[in-house]
Amino acid sequence: DVIRQGELVGFKELKPALFRNKVYFPDSEAFMKYLRNSLFYRPGHDEAIMAGVNKVCEAQGRFAVSKNVVSIQLRK
């Protein structure tokens, strides 16, 4: 656990924070453009991903991805 390790090496104040950022895409093409430029893209799965994204877009009118980031502020 990062907070416990910080305490063990002498940090007095530890503040974890979670940031959530939702990104919306109007269709599978827009999402695939985003995905192809990310570190998560793996070639060979485009058709299956697009089919799944299309289902969500048809049902909800758009596709959403949540990006979650954890930040820990440490002070001595």
Side-chain angles (χ1 to χ4, degrees):
D1 159 304
V2 174
I3 293 176
R4 174 119 170 87
Q5 289 176 358
E7 291 169 344
L8 289 173
V9 295
F11 287 99
K12 305 282 188 248
E13 187 178 342
L14 299 104
K15 291 184 183 178
L18 176 63
F19 302 97
R20 288 193 176 117
N21 183 25
K22 246 188 177 170
V23 181
Y24 296 96
F25 302 91
D27 53 43
S28 61
E29 283 298 325
F31 174 70
M32 290 307 296
K33 183 176 180 180
Y34 167 83
L35 181 62
R36 286 183 187 114
N37 288 292
S38 78
L39 297 174
F40 303 107
Y41 179 69
R42 299 292 178 265
H45 304 283
D46 294 31
E47 286 183 31
I49 293 169
M50 287 180 72
V53 172
N54 281 331
K55 283 184 184 179
V56 173
C57 288
E58 288 172 14
Q60 299 178 11
R62 62 185 178 177
F63 185 77
V65 173
S66 290
K67 297 191 311 183
N68 301 308
V69 178
V70 175
S71 167
I72 301 175
Q73 183 180 39
L74 305 167
R75 292 186 186 197
K76 283 201 167 202

